[in-house]
Amino acid sequence: MTHPSWILGIFFVYAATVQINSPPDPPCGSGNLCKALCTLRNYLNFTNRRTFMSYNFPLNYTIRVHYEEIFRFNNISQLRSSVPDLPEENLQELWLEVYMEVLKKVLKVLPQKHPSHKYTFHLEKLFRDVQQISSFQMEHLAQIQKILANMKDPNTKMWKSVKPKALMDNCYRTMHCLFPHCFPTENKQADYCSFHYWKMSSKRPKNLEGSTSAVMENDRQPPTRHGRK
């Protein structure tokens, strides 16, 4: 059976468009840790965060997290300014511990058949991969120990209700802030710990954040506001 030439023309235009809209992954630093973090970055790209941490939840849905689990730039800057000569490894390990706890809380509210469950489960696995590779051996400073203790205290009264996507947005940005050597950029003046950098980056195409192909095939879902299933 032959196909009209105009149908084939549409197919090739579509194929070319898909190719154009699927850019290669952004550059990645060398070493096993950077490789694991870049895999995590690509899986945390804007499209995935929006789909699996926002669209698949009811409108304005929030989860309860410890106050310490809202980990942002100001937390990093406050620790750096209050603790002289704070080892960067302490902050990196704290970031890892915080977001592994956050993902546990997200998974806890997701039924197994929820369209975001498999994505979140795999995301947690990627964090465990980073943890195994990093193997932080440094002794925690008193300030870090206090944060970790408060974060894991079930009797704390310091709870906050936060949207899952907001938590993962914080995760994505602070990861770049704490591991900048793993995410090289052509802009040598770029400061991943700066609000200005992310404000400007929000004006760029979102698919430049990371590969939009980093989505599990069985998890591809159309945007929905139907909430949990």
Side-chain angles (χ1 to χ4, degrees):
M1 178 179 179
T2 59
H3 297 281
S5 59
W6 64 270
I7 293 180
L8 294 176
I10 290 175
F11 171 79
F12 286 119
V13 169
Y14 172 77
T17 302
V18 170
Q19 184 67 28
I20 291 172
N21 290 334
S22 300
D25 293 340
C28 182
S30 60
N32 290 335
L33 178 59
C34 285
K35 183 177 179 180
L37 285 168
C38 287
T39 300
L40 180 60
R41 170 199 61 189
N42 296 339
Y43 208 69
L44 270 173
N45 67 57
F46 176 80
T47 300
N48 289 357
R49 298 198 310 270
R50 181 178 58 184
T51 300
F52 296 106
M53 294 293 161
S54 179
Y55 285 163
N56 286 349
F57 286 85
L59 188 64
N60 295 323
Y61 183 84
T62 60
I63 62 172
R64 293 179 73 223
V65 296
H66 287 91
Y67 178 79
E68 289 78 11
E69 290 167 335
I70 307 173
F71 192 70
R72 297 175 290 196
F73 295 139
N74 61 333
N75 302 95
I76 296 172
S77 59
Q78 286 173 7
L79 282 168
R80 283 173 172 167
S81 61
S82 63
V83 183
D85 301 320
L86 175 64
E88 200 69 6
E89 289 82 357
N90 270 201
L91 285 172
Q92 292 169 347
E93 184 175 10
L94 177 61
W95 171 85
L96 191 58
E97 292 280 351
V98 165
Y99 285 106
M100 288 184 73
E101 288 296 318
V102 166
L103 286 172
K104 288 178 184 177
K105 289 181 172 60
V106 175
L107 277 172
K108 192 173 181 179
V109 303
L110 293 177
Q112 196 163 2
K113 293 185 178 180
H114 188 280
S116 292
H117 185 277
K118 187 178 291 186
Y119 171 82
T120 309
F121 182 83
H122 189 67
L123 194 57
E124 187 187 37
K125 178 185 179 300
L126 294 179
F127 268 88
R128 290 197 301 270
D129 292 344
V130 172
Q131 186 180 47
Q132 289 178 351
I133 293 172
S134 60
S135 300
F136 294 113
Q137 299 294 330
M138 298 194 68
E139 183 178 348
H140 292 148
L141 299 178
Q143 291 87 340
I144 303 295
Q145 288 178 341
K146 183 178 180 181
I147 292 172
L148 291 173
N150 291 342
M151 186 176 68
K152 297 182 180 181
D153 180 6
N155 299 316
T156 183
K157 296 181 180 179
M158 299 292 288
W159 293 92
K160 297 280 288 185
S161 294
V162 187
K163 294 179 181 179
K165 181 179 178 295
L167 292 166
M168 290 298 101
D169 287 347
N170 290 338
C171 174
Y172 184 89
R173 294 166 184 170
T174 51
M175 174 176 66
H176 283 71
C177 173
L178 293 174
F179 300 90
H181 60 286
C182 289
F183 310 112
T185 174
E186 293 181 358
N187 181 4
K188 302 302 181 182
Q189 304 300 318
D191 179 6
Y192 288 135
C193 296
S194 165
F195 288 105
H196 177 72
Y197 172 84
W198 294 102
K199 183 178 180 180
M200 295 303 295
S201 68
S202 67
K203 299 178 182 179
R204 297 195 291 268
K206 295 301 181 183
N207 61 359
L208 295 182
E209 271 198 1
S211 172
T212 54
S213 64
V215 183
M216 299 173 70
E217 288 297 328
N218 292 335
D219 280 350
R220 291 188 184 275
Q221 299 286 337
T224 175
R225 290 289 186 182
H226 292 167
R228 288 178 289 169
K229 298 180 181 179

